[in-house]
Amino acid sequence: MSDFKPKIVAFCCYYCAYAAADVAGSLRVQYAPEVRLVEIPCSGRIDPVVILKTFEEGADGVYVAGCLEGDCHFLKGNIRARQRVNYVQKILGELGIDPERLAMYNLSGAQGGRFAQIANEFTEKIKKLGPSPLRGR
Amino acid sequence: MVVGGGIAGMQAASDLAESGFFVYLITSDDSLGGRMARLDKTFPTNECSMCLLGPRMTGSLNESNINLLTRAKLTQLEGEAGNFTAVVERQPRYVDEARCTGCGLCADTCPIEVKDEFNGELSKRKAVYKQFPQAVPNKYAIDIENCIRCMKCTRVCSAGAIDHQQQSEILNINIGAVILAPGFESFNAQQLGEYGLGYYSNVVSNIQFERMLSSTGPTGGHIYRPSDGAVPKQVAFIQCVGSRDCRKGYGNEYCSAVCCMASVKEAIIIKEHKPETEIVIFYLDMRAFGKNFDRYVNRAVGQGIKLQRSLISSVKEDPITGNLSLSYCDKGQVLTEEFDMVVLGAGVQPPKSAGELAKAAGIELNQFGFAKTSYSNPVETTRAGVFAAGGFIGPRDIPETVVSGSAAAAAAAELLSAARGVSSREIKYPEEKILSSEQARVGVFVCCCGSNIAGVVDVSEVVKYASGLPGVAGAWKFTYSCSQESLQKLKEIIHEFHLNRIVVAACSIRTHLPLFRNALREAGLNQYYLEMANIRDQCSWVHRDYPEEATAKAKDLVAMAVGKVRHHRPLYLKPVQVVQKALVVGGGIAGITAALSLAEQDYQVYLIERQESLGGMLNQLYLPQDGIKPRELIEKKIHAVKSHPNIRVYKNAELINVSGRIGDFQSKIKVEKTTIELKHGVVVIAAGCREGNIKEYMYGEDKRVITRLEMEEFLSSGNNSLVKTVVFIQCAGSRQEGREYCSRTCCGQTVRQALALKELNEDVNIYVLYRDMRTYGFMESEYRRAREKGVIFVNYQPDSPPDLQGGYNGINIKVKDPSSRSNLELTADLVVLASPAVPAEGLDKLAGLLKIPVNEDGFLVETHAKLAPLDVPTPGVFICGSAHSPQNINEVIAQAKGAAARAAGVLSKSHLLAGGPVAKVNQEKCAACVTCVRLCPYGVPYIGSKNVAEISPVQCQGCGTCAGACPNKAITLEHYRSEQLIEKVRAMFNMEVARSE
Amino acid sequence: MKYSYYPGCSLCSTASEYNLSTEAICSKLDIQLIEIPDWNCCGATSAHSASAYLAVALPLRNLILAEAMGLDMVVPCAACYHWQRVAHNEVINKTPVGQRANEDLAKIMGRGYHGTLKTKHIMEVLLQDQVLELLPRKLIKPLNKIKLAAYYGCLMLRPADVVAFDNAEQPNSIDRLAQALGAETVRWSAKVDCCGGSFTLAESGVVQKLTADIVSAAKRGGAEAIVTACPLCQANLDSRQKENENQMPVFYITELVGVALGMPEARKWFKKHIVNPVPMLEKYNLL
Amino acid sequence: MEQVSLAEDLAKETGQKTNTCFSCMKCSGGCPISFASDLKTHEVIRLVNLNQLDRLLNCKTIWLCAFCKTCKQRCPNDIDASLVMDWLKSKALELGVTPAMPNIPIMYQTFLRSVEKLGRVYEAGWIGTYKIKTKTYTKDFKLGLKMLGKRKIKLVPGRIKNYQHIRKIFASARLGMKCRKEIK
Ligand SMILES: Cc1cc2nc3c(=O)[nH]c(=O)nc-3n(C[C@H](O)[C@H](O)[C@H](O)COP(=O)(O)OP(=O)(O)OC[C@H]3O[C@@H](n4cnc5c(N)ncnc54)[C@H](O)[C@@H]3O)c2cc1C
Ligand SMILES: Cc1cc2nc3c(=O)[nH]c(=O)nc-3n(C[C@H](O)[C@H](O)[C@H](O)COP(=O)(O)OP(=O)(O)OC[C@H]3O[C@@H](n4cnc5c(N)ncnc54)[C@H](O)[C@@H]3O)c2cc1C
Ligand code: SF4
Ligand code: SF4
Ligand code: SF4
Ligand code: SF4
Ligand code: SF4
Ligand code: SF4
Ligand code: SF4
Ligand code: SF4
């Protein structure tokens, strides 16, 4: 259990979370190495199928990170993303997967520290939840 | 040439580059960004300033028609408009920009620490440094004054970028026009010792406070008291520090126009962090005159931020606790309150270098030291061919700065229209190989970034691992992938190994994607056959203590990139033809100015006006502004329009239908009884505003109560022998429920009207009953002049407005005067109401035709309140003038010119490139459910003639919202297709399985 | 260094210790002071409230006398300094009052004011480089880091365009000199607050509050004593502290210079203080 | 409403342009005697601009002003309220309005009388006269004794040589006041 190394996929909007990861980098803010970024042009691009597939492939946790509410580069993409995340959480619940394994975060492109904090927080949470029931299927 | 790398300079440069000019962008700083880079968020939307700025800065750097020179100054300008020779002096940076990778090793080893000016001296930086983490170009620089030449940096820099011997360079550059945009700087509040900045630790200036709020600032975005690191519980803001002060040496006479809103913003941000914080803003007039500003202030008040009308005499520090006490006067009582922290709302002033720059460029400055520009062309300086933009013209916020940047670009383009495209760089690429049928042969290039990556990640192992991945034809290791040398090598390898997909595992796509895409094009590959894996910023830099995990992660990231790139498709940007003509709707000053600018830039313009004559509201304004009479101005312009061969005017005309898309619109126009069809590439909406109705203050009941427009008429008759007492009532019909905004133009107009009355007859008694005198910027001097002439200004509260009673001798007015704690009873011969400016009749309908949203107040909504104030979500449509929000004439003119520049960006091209990573509808799958039509933030999808959704690749912005939402999965977002994303994720798990086997 | 010297009325009565200490230290520091013969009262805090003319004409007479001596004038009293500077300014700026006063005085005295005189506060004189260089060599009893609150009051620094030789809001001249003497000065923010000196007699209630605020601010800053360069301030702060409170000595800066220079006559000056500073100085072995 | 403008008169005689005041209240917030004054500094300025002489001449503030110039130092419109107060004081005396704080003008007058007579201030003399006039013998009595004890107050008056000069200056000053009345 203790040496469980979860695999976490973060779908990150290019305009905020991806930029924040860069800021974290240039400030050398250290964070948990379990997170892998997938860049998308806007959190609004995310769709339920992609998220579900990601779990199916074996991800222990997934989160979507978009701009602060009201700050979306494409006006409202992050609001849509949140709706979809909520929707998929419900499905996960129905499938017997802890909906906590999926999350939506908002942050700005300058918040390098916040990016790291999210990565740590979420990794911690997934570590507590243990490997995904779909892992190694 | 554009001088100044702030937002004004970047806007001007990119507008010019966009419309076919080659631009030298020179800035004295190490990085682009200017003041905006120092801000945390921006009012009134509270958006992150850096998020807005970042893409702008990289955009300017990567634009092939912009040549950026940092640490550079204009020292001489010879020749004349159209043909100048600019002498530019480049100060050495001591770091070779071409070699530096921005790794920061030099700064890590540098032993010298100095106060960081960028952070308001609240933190330290090294002698070799980068101004801020997101600096563009992402290169270090040496502050030679503090450098002790220990050469530690030289030793550690494996890129060999450090060069202490660098000399300054003098460049002679041949150019056609110059735009000066050196911005403004903050007033140094330390000059006012009574506030204790620099003496009391817990007093900070607003710009220092912005740095504290910023997550990349000295406190990482947390608000701590400098004295003891405690979280402040009571914070006071003091306004008008160094502004609105007529004394020499104590600041400036004008109003700095941004500090009121900046403080409200900073207060709101504190509340967001810590809602329990008690905040008081001590102010004199809350100058919330801009679009949506009053709402913003009301929101702040709603959150419990207290606005206290009273300026502060001095700040006192408790030497033990570090707390600060302020005394202020309220309702005849002097009260003292203690705060843990005080923020000074310091004003702005011309940059120190303004005088030098003006001399070099041969222009005059105004009495306050800003660029002297004309009211009728706010970006034109006193020298032909030299224009000004941004804060250098006078205090202004970001959107107005952006507008003036565009306007200056338009002015320069008018001058140089013959030279368009002559020196712009058109890069020729080899013919692309057609590879769609071929098997993927992926080449993986893993970067060491000196030791930035290699120091943590085992690069050789990653290379080995990568070469074993499915579809990979080979993997290579580069010390610095981005060096010219490596790029050359990359192209050779592509040819040698017949690679057709490329993965570069290095740093951020935000900075390096354009570079590598370009390399692919040069190698004859489609630029979309590239994927980058960020194993530096997202890996080696942030997992320094776990080299093994970092290596594993780097492998995964590479595998993921390979997984995705195998499914990349070539994307082609297809040229679509542009009808190089413009349609301008509205024949007021805005429409006319935009039309003239476009016509001067050699485009055909259709100008439609629904009334019988051109001119709009300006026909009703009489008093001169800054020496210019609106009626004369408009007559001159109307004449110019009529005689311009490129402009076709339709009067009594109305737009009834628009179809098509950017570059190719078709419009139907009803002119009297006939309908005309016009084809054009862009639309500029300049439908203006009008005077709104007033229900209050006996208007309509008593003839002696008139509106400010009627007052203009009255003054133009020049006959006021009978009036002895005139009372002006401000905000009549503005800033109240249902019209929760400021009409912006009235306070200034009232002051002008009062002065004009005094001019006619010195003995006339004038009272102005106001809520906040919003004579922002240089208008403050006129406000002062009116007081000097004896005009009495009485501050009334909205809950006890003036009470009017008609009488035989005049109108009797009762009003409370807080400054004397008495009730004034006035008898007026004339009452003038500051009537509201409301959107033009039918603006909502017009907006509907073009799919432009309108706000609660009925004005048009721009794409982005800060950085795209003249664009609307519908591509190819631009807005300007009072249809955007109430404005003064000079501001309208700037907007109109700016809109012309934006429009010219489209019209200058014979073809637009459409496509790339945009949404595409699979018509078979579409069920016409209109989900996409509803959700697209730009209103692009529509249900077409085949009863399925259609998305124009020219208009689509590529956000993918529709693709994510389409219930039938009929929409794909190219380059981010679901299968691509899924393959990307799968790659990381497949390999894990493989490894455990 | 040679100056004409205007002691002013206070220094000849209530503040004679300021006068004595000024004269004593100046001669020690090679500063020669020659009292202006037959000088008159500058009108102080009263003349201006009766007549703007008087407030200029009275000090103007002194300026004329000093100008005739051909020596820059030194003034230790902040109020006298203030009014003398105001009169100078009114004349050189040719204001109606200044012009009229000058014309009248030319008639009365047979000589008008030509505006060539430089009027300096004693602090300016003491802070000259030459003096500061000399000082360490003559320092016999460095002030042992005693904690002082340097108090400037109003008239010495306001209005800034007429009088201030120091930063009007965050002055440091007294601090600097005190530090040069080996004392420490505390951080406090009542340095330029008004003590109400002008109506100490008529409205003692008001003055009581003002002085109490200043003294308590000094205490809060950690000071053991206050140091001033104005007889009105000193008298007010010295005499209005409540008896049952922990009282704080109020020095003239010149007295402290004298102490640091090891002048035995200092004890005599302190006899005139209401709050006796001797115990404190003795505690630190300075007397 | 009065015909002549107080603000204009005052500007002519003191150079203070009170009507440039925009009621920022800095002066009042920084005024050391605000706790004791009835009108706050900015209100004095305001009432000048509103021509309300009565309220001004009958207020305490003009007498209480300590002439500390804090207001002038910080006024963004460079108004020296202390000079406005002075002007109003002389106006009150000139028009025979009973001062709201009678002791203060008496103090000033006794002081000046001493100066007029001797050319310098004779403390024991003027303080004594002041106390007799204001019937405040007992006030500050203890302090007075203490000061005498410390020989802070001299008992023997001295007079300057050319005291005639001073008398002439005072005479011109009186003439000046008359002038002002006549101009009106
Ligand atoms: C405290 C504060 C808060 C603010 N908050 C907001 C806000 O929330 N929202 C908002 O809309 N606005 C805000 N503003 C206003 C905003 O900062 C300005 O409108 C904007 O930055 C002006 O941009 P600019 O390009 O004209 O000038 P700057 O940003 O000042 O850029 C000027 C550039 O020119 C360079 N330069 C200077 N001199 C020379 C020279 N001689 N040669 C070459 N280059 C030179 C400088 O290095 C700099 O890069 C705020 C302002 C302040 C002071
Ligand atoms: C009461 C009032 C007083 C003002 N006073 C001042 C002042 O003193 N100083 C100052 O600087 N500014 C003042 N302004 C603001 C100033 O008038 C405007 O900023 C300026 O006129 C805006 O120019 P515009 O071209 O955008 O709009 P307008 O001048 O309003 O012109 C818009 C034109 O578009 C036409 N139009 C509208 N809809 C359509 C349509 N659907 N199709 C075709 N044509 C259409 C209108 O007929 C009109 O001719 C005032 C505004 C108001 C309301
Ligand atoms: S490449 Fe060299 S100069 Fe650039 S940041 Fe790295 S060590 Fe510094
Ligand atoms: S040479 Fe200069 S910049 Fe380089 S490390 Fe030494 S002090 Fe720092
Ligand atoms: S009124 Fe003007 S100068 Fe004063 S704080 Fe507001 S914006 Fe700044
Ligand atoms: S009068 Fe007009 S400009 Fe002035 S505050 Fe009111 S609405 Fe705004
Ligand atoms: S959401 Fe999908 S199915 Fe619905 S209309 Fe749009 S493309 Fe067609
Ligand atoms: S990708 Fe975005 S902009 Fe393009 S059509 Fe879809 S929702 Fe609209
Ligand atoms: S400080 Fe000056 S402007 Fe402000 S209220 Fe006082 S007198 Fe008026
Ligand atoms: S001069 Fe008078 S009004 Fe001004 S601050 Fe001092 S006491 Fe108050």
Side-chain angles (χ1 to χ4, degrees), chain B residues 503-514:
Chain B
V503 166
V504 178
C507 51
S508 173
I509 55 172
R510 293 173 64 248
T511 52
H512 282 64
L513 193 65

Side-chain angles (χ1 to χ4, degrees), chain C residues 93-168:
Chain C
N93 293 334
K94 300 202 169 69
T95 64
V97 181
Q99 256 174 324
R100 222 193 82 207
N102 203 12
E103 279 161 22
D104 289 351
L105 277 167
K107 270 183 234 144
I108 296 171
M109 300 174 66
R111 180 177 201 271
Y113 180 56
H114 305 296
T116 61
L117 186 70
K118 284 206 185 73
T119 301
K120 293 191 168 159
H121 188 267
I122 184 75
M123 283 307 304
E124 283 179 272
V125 173
L126 295 177
L127 280 171
Q128 292 175 96
D129 290 345
Q130 295 140 281
V131 180
L132 288 179
E133 274 160 30
L134 194 62
L135 204 55
R137 277 185 272 142
K138 305 227 168 179
L139 224 49
I140 291 175
K141 296 223 157 162
L143 295 185
N144 212 344
K145 306 237 177 275
I146 55 172
K147 292 213 169 76
L148 300 172
Y151 176 71
Y152 299 76
C154 5
L155 293 177
M156 192 160 108
L157 300 166
R158 289 195 290 263
D161 47 345
V162 179
V163 290
F165 51 84
D166 195 350
N167 185 324

Side-chain angles (χ1 to χ4, degrees), chain B residues 106 109-112 127-128 142 147-153 164:
Chain B
C106 48
T109 49
C110 175
I112 299 295
V128 50
I142 290 177
C147 167
I148 53 163
R149 291 173 207 253
C150 66
M151 299 300 163
K152 285 197 173 140
C153 52
H164 285 93

Side-chain angles (χ1 to χ4, degrees), chain B residues 799-819:
Chain B
D799 53 11
S800 56
D803 178 48
L804 272 64
Q805 211 89 72
Y808 178 72
N809 286 327
I811 301 210
N812 297 313
I813 301 165
K814 283 195 199 130
V815 62
K816 270 194 207 155
D817 175 35
S819 305

Side-chain angles (χ1 to χ4, degrees), chain B residues 95 99-107 128 140 153 156-162 452 480:
Chain B
V95 170
R99 292 190 169 187
C100 173
T101 64
C103 68
L105 286 179
C106 48
V128 50
Y140 279 67
C153 52
V156 79
C157 176
S158 47
I162 307 257
N452 276 290
Y480 289 107

